Each structure stands twice: as C-alpha cells, then as structure tokens.
Amino acid sequence: MKRYSIFAVAREAMRYHAGWERAWRSPAPKKRYKVVVVGAGGHGLATAYYLGKVHGITDVAVIEKGWLGGGNTGRNTTIIRSNYLQDPSAAIYEKARALYENLSQDLNYNIMFSPRGLLMLGQTEHEVRGYQRTVHANALQGIETRWIGPQEVKKIVPILNIDGPRYPVLGALYQERGGTARHDAVAWGYARACSAMGMDIIQQCDVTGIRRDGNRVQGVSTTKGEIDCDQLALVVAGHSSVLAEKAGFRLPIESVALQAWVSEPIKPCMDVVVMANTVHGYMSQSDKGEMVIGGGTDGYNNYTQRGSWHHVEETTRALVETFPIISRLKMLRQWGGIVDMTGDRSPILSKTPVEGIFVNCGWGTGGFKAIPGSGYAMAELIARGQSPLADAFGLERFREGRFIDESVAAGVAH
Amino acid sequence: MLSLTCPCCGITAEETEFHPGGEAHLKRFGPGSSDDDFEGYLFGRKNPKGVHFERWRHSHGCGKWFLVARCTATLEVFASYSAQTTTPPVDVIKAIKAKRPDWEGYA
C-alpha cells in the first residue's frame, strides 16, 4: 500500500496522477480462511481490521453480496456520539468515539471526523430530567457531556426556535466531542487498511448457505464457490435473521426501514448536530451544505430499503417548527436502510448456538457511531473468545432478562 | 405507503389509519414452560425476507385487531383475515401460493 501524504499528492501532481493505485484489491476467494466475515459494511470491515491490527490474524476474508459500504454504512446520517445512560453502552460507544478521534491517522485515510458538538434538545420536563440524569451518569463513566440552558442553546444554534409554542426548548444535553464523519470514507479506509494487511475483500458474493459439521461451522456456500473457515462472523445488520436461519438458529431481531433525506445545499448555518427527540427529528449540515435529516422508523417488518412517506412528512414538519428557516428548502434526495431492531434496542455481539459462528448485529438505528468500537470488541471476541466491551451484549441476556434498556432510558432517537 | 383492508369493518385505508403489532400466530408460553420456549415466545422472531404473517390494529377506525399476510421483500399484501385463528386459513395460503409458487409454506 502506498501511503497517502502531501508528498504523494505533490509527486502525483507532477505525473498527471497516473501513479495512484487501487485502494484495495479484489481477488478471487481462496478455498479456506481462518476467519470469514460476512458483510463489508463498516462493522464487518472494522472487525477484520482489528483482527489483524490487534490480534495478528490476517488470514481473513470479508465477503459482501453487494458493494462495499453500500448498505446502512452509506445510508445513515453520520452522527457520532456516546452520551448513553447505561454503562455497557456508554463503554462501547465511547470506545468507538475515542477511536474515531485518531482514525484518519490510524488508517492513513481521511475519514473527515468532525467533532463539531452535538445537542440533544430537552423539550419536555420529563426529557429534561432524563437528560440531566444522563449527564450525571456520563460524569461517572468518564464521558464529557454537560447540561446547558436554553440561552446557551440559542447561542450555539442561532437558527433554532427555542420559543416554539408546543415544545419550547428547555435546555440540551451537550456533547462537545460528538459530531460527524464521512460515512463512505470509514468503510473505504478500513477496506484499504485490511487489504494492505493481506486480507481478501470479495464483493458481489452472496452467501447462499452456511455449512456445518454437527454443531461446528465448516464454511459458507457462496455465489463464488465454497469457502471454508474456522470462524465465521455474521455482520450483516438488516439481513441478520436471514443468515441466522441459514445457520440454523433464530435471533431476537426484526428488520424495519429507517429513512433519511437531504435538502439542497445552502450556506453554512449550523455547525453542530441537533437532535430533537420529542418532536422526532435530527439535523446537521454536511460539508457540501446540505441539511441532513433523519427521522423515525416504520413499525412493520420490511426489507425493501424504502420507507413510508408519512415519516418524511412528520419529521420535516417537526423540524420546520424547530428550525423555521428551513421551511422554504427543497429536499433533494431521500432514501431508506434496513435496520435490525432488538427487543431492548441494544446491539448483539455474541457467540451463537453454533460453535465458531459469531454475530454482530442489532445496532438498529445507531450503528454508524459505533463502528470502530464494535469492530474492536468483535475482533477481541473472535480472537480470544471473550471481550470486556462485548460481555453485556451476549444473546443470553434475552433469556436471563438482563436487558440494556437504552430505548426508554437515554431518550435515544428511536 | 401500505394500503390495508380491515376484515372486521371492511374498510380499506392507508397504513396511517392502522398500527402494526408484529409477528402473528405466536404460540404463548407462560408459567411452567421451559426457559427456551419462553425466550422464543418473547423475543425469537422469524423476521423472514418474503412472506410474513403479522398483526395489525385498526387503531383509527373500528379499533379491532386483525392479521395480514404480506411480502417483506416487495411490500405486496396478499390477504387480511380474522385474528381469531391460530394458523393462516386455507384460502390465505392459497392466495399466497398463487403469487409465490416457490414459497415453502407456513411452518
């Protein structure tokens, strides 16, 4: 791998940019790997990367039925934060956020991490109490967040209407080191680094079956042939249930559509991420100037990567009330992704009933921000059979009633 | 936007008039059952990519629960039918088979 640097840019400028090599190789699959990761999204690639970097396991293939980063990695609203209430979630999301801080240098690939700050608005007394509790919890967890009043909110976000008739802004949970990153670059950067370590990234390779020898995984059958492996990691978000069924077990997952959309580009007007969970919408401004907007999930099972229009209407209506200046904006694009929701809205990083198969799924609506931490914990789980960060996220928690109850506790967006 | 027909009052309306209620035909395991059965009943879901049987409530209408057979890969609705059944009725199975000959059937 040739390193990217200012000298490389200067060198290539002298020779018509003819010397740039492909960021990653696209080899034919080998017959056998030590570890096969299914799913070349952010989580799958990060899993492979930390397997190599931290644990020295580079006999790895990452196989992907579509194209790299073409699922939820390319469909989210790129928000990064770690202001969670429960200790296990705070730990893994903060690990991820901390890794994001230096990820560009680590990968030698500019992922455009922008810790611009993130506000979660408190718009009801209940929400205010909830967020103040989160601030106290974060202080104990070593995560830097604070509660700020409405005037400071207005100072940070001048375009915000804090005196809304229905839901006035009573304050906000502020994480200054939260922000955004370029989502595609995260996948590309990890892919490039994995390929440089000698791992094979195999795109357009659909897994058609999972082969077992008794209760032990043997390998996968794919559209590009049979691939054997010692260990198999399923990191496929919305399609986790489909692959689990091929492996012969069932997951506590339901797949639903989550949508996002962007406006036409406008001049810089908001340099933080704002989440308004009571009215149910969140917005940030991309580097191109588009207002990036996300809203709620549909309530019914869906694999179509299309959602219902009324969510677009509800969220846009709520945000127009919150940010009156966007009322004349035209919306440019809208898209959907299939998110994997668990019963407690917390992820699953776990061994499975089949020996050698691991799952990393259930990130639901909050996966992008977790990518480095998720990959780090998953790699440790695969390499060592145990990971402190992943311990609480095992499948057995559903049987034991040991939920990580973020869906009501932290006031997350869904 | 889904368009659903409520079999209780006969009205066809857009999905905003209804509320989804998750997988249908779950067998309830209560006190005295094994941990495996109870966990499966509470959390284990088929979540298929294809034919799905699910519960809906006509929340902004007659208020009744009913069941729908729908394809999660295309959003096509095959049939809606009474919630007073423990398995999909024969005519619903037939309607699905007519449109999805490869479907493996209800299990």
Side-chain angles (χ1 to χ4, degrees), chain A residues 240-261:
Chain A
S240 295
S241 300
V242 177
L243 275 187
E245 203 229 323
K246 291 189 205 298
F249 56 92
R250 192 173 279 189
L251 289 170
I253 293 265
E254 294 198 77
S255 301
V256 299
L258 172 64
Q259 299 175 84
W261 50 102

Side-chain angles (χ1 to χ4, degrees), chain A residues 87-136:
Chain A
D87 288 346
S89 0
I92 196 164
Y93 284 106
E94 176 61 15
K95 175 75 184 172
R97 200 205 56 76
L99 285 170
Y100 266 126
E101 294 259 2
N102 294 315
L103 197 57
S104 294
Q105 290 78 5
D106 191 19
L107 298 176
N108 180 233
Y109 199 99
N110 186 6
I111 62 147
M112 298 166 73
F113 177 58
S114 163
R116 57 183 66 184
L118 176 139
L119 296 168
M120 290 169 86
L121 303 181
Q123 294 181 281
T124 62
E125 287 295 340
H126 184 83
E127 211 176 9
V128 170
R129 280 198 295 273
Y131 286 156
Q132 286 178 342
R133 184 183 173 206
T134 303
V135 169
H136 294 313

